Structure formats: C-alpha cells, structure tokens
C-alpha cells in the first residue's frame, strides 16, 4: 500500500469529528504494522483523549515497531490531555507519517522534534492540503484569534430574501433548508440581527434527522428589543447571547438574565465587525455562521469579514424594488471594490442551487 491509502482513512476518521471537537481540531490516526491495520481512532471531544491515544489503545502491544498515520502533528504539550508525542515514544513506534503541522504555537514543530530526537522516523506533508482544508476553522482561529465566518444566504433567483410585503417562508425548499442545518452543527455560533428575530422568531437550533450540536445563538440587538417570549429566550434549547450597547438599563437586562440569556455589552453603537469577531473569539467562538438578515450581511460585507459564503438560490423570481436583497447597507459604489469570490462547490439540492464560495484575496 502507499501512504495515501492509510492517510485517506485517517482523514476520513477525522472528518467525522468536525464540529464536535471544537475548539480542538478534528484529528484521525491509523496504526499499521506489517501491512495490517492494527489500530485507529479519532478525536471526538475537547478534553477527551486525542486521536493518537485512541489508536494506541486499540493497537495495544502491536504498536511496537509500527507506523502511525496522523492528520495533525502529534501534540507535545500538556493541555487537557497528556502529550501524544510522549505516548508514541513510550509505545516504541518505528515511524510517524504526518499530514499537517499543528499551527498551535504550543505545539508547532515541537511534536515532530521530540519524535525525531527519540529516534522515530517522521515523514510530513502527506495529503497536507486535504488535512489543512479539514481543519480550516482551527487553523484560521489559531492564526487570527477570531472566528472563521460563514455567511449564509437563501435567496430567490433575483437575489431577494423576502417579498416587498416581508414574506419569506419559504424561499428555498425543505432539502436546502435541512442542508443548512449541517452548517449549524459545524459552527460554534450562529449570529442573526434583531430584525430576523422580530420577523421570523427563529429557533436557530440544529434540527437534523440524526440530531446535531446546537450552536450558541448570538443576537445583535443594541437596544435589547428582543421580545421576552421569543423562542431564543424561552425554548431552553441552546445558549443565547444578546449583544447590547451600554445604555440598555439594568432592570431590563435583569429580565433576560433571569430567563437564562447572557447579556453582553459591546462598546460603540455601530457594529464594528472586526471588533465583534475578536470579542467572540475571546469567548471561544472559533466558527460563526451568520444567517442575516440584510443589515447584518451588509455590515459583514462592508468590513469584508467573510471566510466562506454559503448561498442557496431558489428558481423563483420575486421581483420588486422594495423586496429585500440579501445584503443591505450601502454596498460598494465601485465594481472594483465588490467582494470577489471563488466557487468551491456548486450542486443542485432539491429544486434549488447550492454554492459554497471563498474570498479570492487570501
Ligand atoms: N426564509 C428562508 C430562510 N430564512 C432564514 C432565516 O434566518 C430564518 O429566520 C431562520 O432560518 C429561522 O429558522 P429556524 O427557526 O431557526 O429554523 N432560510 C432558508 O434556508 N430558506 C428560506 O427560504
Ligand atoms: N485534537 C488533537 C490535537 N489537538 C492539539 O492539542 C490542543 C488541545 O490539547 P488538549 O487541551 O490537551 O486537548 C489543540 O489546540 C491542538 O493544538 N493534537 C493531537 O495530537 N491529537 C488530537 O487529536
Ligand atoms: Zn495530542
């Protein structure tokens, strides 16, 4: 077999943990001895054993002299779990094949150094691109300390998110709507503006047939106009943070705090998106799904605070100058300033079109 055969398996294992390992990366490990797979594992939850440890436990004594394929450089620090590089050395493995180096400053390169120093052969860069793509959120958050942002839009063919009379249920079909719930499972936080809360009374929970993790519901609502009987306040299904500005009176906040909502005061009145992202990054939000509405999308567009666009387009034409576009705000006066994207994925999903796009400028 070639390295890619086993690394593909490790990457496939890692993929299954995406979303639930946050804020840790998703990692897969496979141990091979004499052309036989003797152990494998994936990191499943932050604070629990790492992928390498699961694989070593499964391999038992067969790990001696074996080769490990792992999608991320084995860690070398004592976080919530002991260092994997120590475990690999203790179990006397012969070789470690690594897909991507760990950008976490506590690790990056240190794990590899320790393995080499212990006389273990190390090969790096096998299927590196796939492994980095898998953990684009983790790599982004480690580098920028703010969440990886996915903007989600669901529009008619002519780019509207509602009719001129405000009707929006539903523009896209059931299949597309369900597909967007996978992205709710994969993101730590979901952000909407007060306009969406007042218009749709959304629950913003992950409702997939096989369940899924609920993101933290983050409502941008400076004046605290969210109704006390809104689903995001009363349904107890997921954490809800409402971001207000300083002038909101204490006794008003109290009512929401008593309902279990976190009220967070955010400096300034206008949404300064980069500052909001650092603020959320500090609170451990490593990935953010922005569901709109138009005002919020307009602010994120203005500040180019977008790492991925998830666009569902329905083959319906709504028309009407007063019907709401997906991106509000001023917009760019010059085409040269438009946010240019590269199409990563285009598929038909039910009756609708789904596009996943990434900004062109790195
Ligand atoms: N109007 C449409 C959407 N509308 C999306 C809005 O964010 C809406 O408030 C949320 O989806 C709320 O729903 P929930 O209670 O959280 O499930 N999204 C879609 O994908 N298609 C559409 O047609
Ligand atoms: N999940 C994962 C790694 N994650 C690395 O370890 C850090 C978390 O350490 P801890 O707090 O102990 O869980 C995380 O930030 C990342 O650098 N490393 C690995 O060798 N294998 C794994 O499966
Ligand atoms: Zn580790």
């Amino acid at each position: 077999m070639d390295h890619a055969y086993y690394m593909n398996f490790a990457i496939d294992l890692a993929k299954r943990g995406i979303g639930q390992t946050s804020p840790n990366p998703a990692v897969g490990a496979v141990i091979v001895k004499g052309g036989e797979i003797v152990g494998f594992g994936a990191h499943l939850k932050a604070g629990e054993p790492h992928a390498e440890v699961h694989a070593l436990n499964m391999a038992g004594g067969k790990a001696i002299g074996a080769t490990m394929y792992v999608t991320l450089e084995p860690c070398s620090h004592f976080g919530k779990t002991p260092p994997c590089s120590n475990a690999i050395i203790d179990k006397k493995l012969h070789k470690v094949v690594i897909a991507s180096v760990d950008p976490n400053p506590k690790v990056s390169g240190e794990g590899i150094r320790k393995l080499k120093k212990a006389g273990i052969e190390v090969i790096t860069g096998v299927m590196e691109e796939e492994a980095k793509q898998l953990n684009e959120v983790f790599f982004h958050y480690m580098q920028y300390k703010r969440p990886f942002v996915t903007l989600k839009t669901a529009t008619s063919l002519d780019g509207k998110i509602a009719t001129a009379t405000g009707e929006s249920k539903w523009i896209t079909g059931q299949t597309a709507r369900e597909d967007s719930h996978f992205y709710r499972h994969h993101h730590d936080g979901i952000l909407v503006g007060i306009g969406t809360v007042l218009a749709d009374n959304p629950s913003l929970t992950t409702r997939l047939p096989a369940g899924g993790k609920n993101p933290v519901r983050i409502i941008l609502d400076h004046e605290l106009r969210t109704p006390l009987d809104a689903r995001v306040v009363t349904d107890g299904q997921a954490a809800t943070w409402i971001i207000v500005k300083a002038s909101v009176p204490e006794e008003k906040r109290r009512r929401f705090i008593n309902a279990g909502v976190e009220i967070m005061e955010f400096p300034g009145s206008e949404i300064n998106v980069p500052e909001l992202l650092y603020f959320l990054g500090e609170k451990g939000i490593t990935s953010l799904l922005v569901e709109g509405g138009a005002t919020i999308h307009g602010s994120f567009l203005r500040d180019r605070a977008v790492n991925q666009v998830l666009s569902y387009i329905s083959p319906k034409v709504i028309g009407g100058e007063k019907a709401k576009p997906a991106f509000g705000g001023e917009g760019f006066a010059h085409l040269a300033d438009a946010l240019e994207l590269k199409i990563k994925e285009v598929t038909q999903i039910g009756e609708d079109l789904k596009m996943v796009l990434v900004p062109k400028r790195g």
Side-chain angles (χ1 to χ4, degrees):
M1 292 300 182
D2 64 352
H3 290 327
Y5 177 80
Y6 296 115
M7 192 58 88
N8 251 315
F9 181 21
I11 284 180
D12 212 29
L13 282 162
K15 268 186 191 146
R16 298 300 176 258
I18 293 270
Q20 60 182 61
T21 61
S22 181
N24 283 358
V27 182
V30 176
I31 301 177
V32 181
K33 186 161 183 185
E36 194 191 323
I37 295 174
V38 294
F40 55 82
H43 181 49
L44 299 176
K45 198 174 180 64
E48 290 182 1
H50 284 178
E52 298 91 322
V53 172
H54 283 308
L56 287 168
N57 291 344
M58 189 192 285
K62 291 185 177 174
I64 298 175
T67 297
M68 178 188 279
Y69 290 84
V70 61
T71 58
L72 183 76
E73 172 189 5
C75 68
S76 56
H77 70 291
F78 283 82
K80 297 191 201 82
T81 62
C84 291
S85 40
N86 295 15
I88 291 168
I89 293 164
D90 295 348
K91 298 282 183 184
K92 301 185 177 31
L93 268 81
H94 165 68
K95 187 193 298 187
V96 176
V97 182
I98 297 168
S100 56
V101 176
D102 185 337
N104 182 342
K106 289 192 200 119
V107 181
S108 84
E110 181 52 27
I112 292 170
R113 219 188 45 72
K114 271 168 76 175
L115 293 172
K116 282 183 174 168
K117 200 156 151 267
I120 293 177
E121 189 188 341
V122 176
I123 299 175
T124 57
V126 174
M127 298 187 73
E128 183 170 10
E129 272 324 297
E130 292 86 340
K132 283 172 94 169
Q133 178 70 38
L134 178 73
N135 277 313
E136 62 182 344
V137 166
F138 177 72
F139 280 66
H140 173 92
Y141 183 69
M142 274 297 145
Q143 189 174 352
Y144 300 105
K145 290 285 167 260
R146 61 178 195 257
F148 179 94
V149 172
T150 298
L151 280 192
K152 178 231 163 190
T153 62
T155 61
S156 60
L157 188 63
D158 52 332
K160 313 289 188 184
I161 58 170
T163 65
T165 60
E167 262 182 49
S168 68
K169 292 195 174 19
W170 292 96
I171 292 176
T172 56
Q174 172 66 25
T175 323
R177 292 203 308 274
E178 191 170 296
D179 185 74
S180 71
H181 281 237
F182 274 106
Y183 295 84
R184 292 185 177 185
H185 166 69
H186 283 180
H187 284 74
D188 291 344
I190 184 167
L191 184 138
V192 294
I194 178 61
T196 294
V197 172
L198 295 173
D200 299 346
N201 189 18
S203 57
L204 301 177
T205 51
T206 301
R207 300 184 302 279
L208 289 168
K213 189 172 58 69
N214 286 329
V216 172
R217 301 177 290 196
I218 301 163
I219 319 289
L220 270 186
D221 179 10
H222 285 129
E223 323 285 339
L224 192 47
R225 289 186 294 140
T226 299
L228 264 172
D229 63 353
R231 283 202 191 100
V232 290
V233 176
T234 59
D235 74 2
Q237 297 286 309
T240 296
W241 301 350
I242 303 184
I243 296 184
V244 301
K245 66 180 186 187
S247 57
V248 171
E250 182 49 36
E251 97 280 345
K252 189 172 184 192
R253 300 178 191 207
R254 180 68 37 216
R255 288 201 291 272
F256 286 87
I257 294 165
N258 293 343
V261 167
E262 281 223 36
I263 299 287
M264 294 176 179
E265 195 173 293
F266 184 66
S269 60
E270 232 318 86
I271 312 169
N272 177 314
V273 175
E275 277 173 28
L276 172 68
L277 293 178
Y278 282 115
F279 176 81
L280 293 176
E282 266 157 27
K283 296 197 174 307
I285 303 290
T286 68
S287 56
L288 185 69
L289 179 62
V290 182
E291 274 231 7
T295 314
I296 299 293
H297 277 7
S299 303
F300 275 73
L301 176 68
R302 177 200 62 210
D303 297 340
R304 308 184 105 81
V306 186
N307 300 105
Q308 178 172 255
V309 173
L310 172 63
S311 165
Y312 296 96
I313 301 173
S314 150
K316 285 188 194 81
V317 180
I318 294 179
E321 283 162 358
K322 295 206 177 13
K324 233 177 211 202
F327 290 85
E330 295 293 303
F332 296 115
H334 307 290
L335 274 177
D337 300 329
L339 178 70
E340 290 191 55
L341 302 159
K342 206 164 68 234
I343 297 176
K344 227 173 91 178
E345 181 194 323
V346 193
T347 37
Q348 172 148 357
I349 185 155
E351 303 288 301
D352 305 307
L353 191 65
K354 169 187 179 182
M355 282 208 272
V356 181
L357 308 101
V358 291
K360 258 201 180 129
R361 285 185 271 279

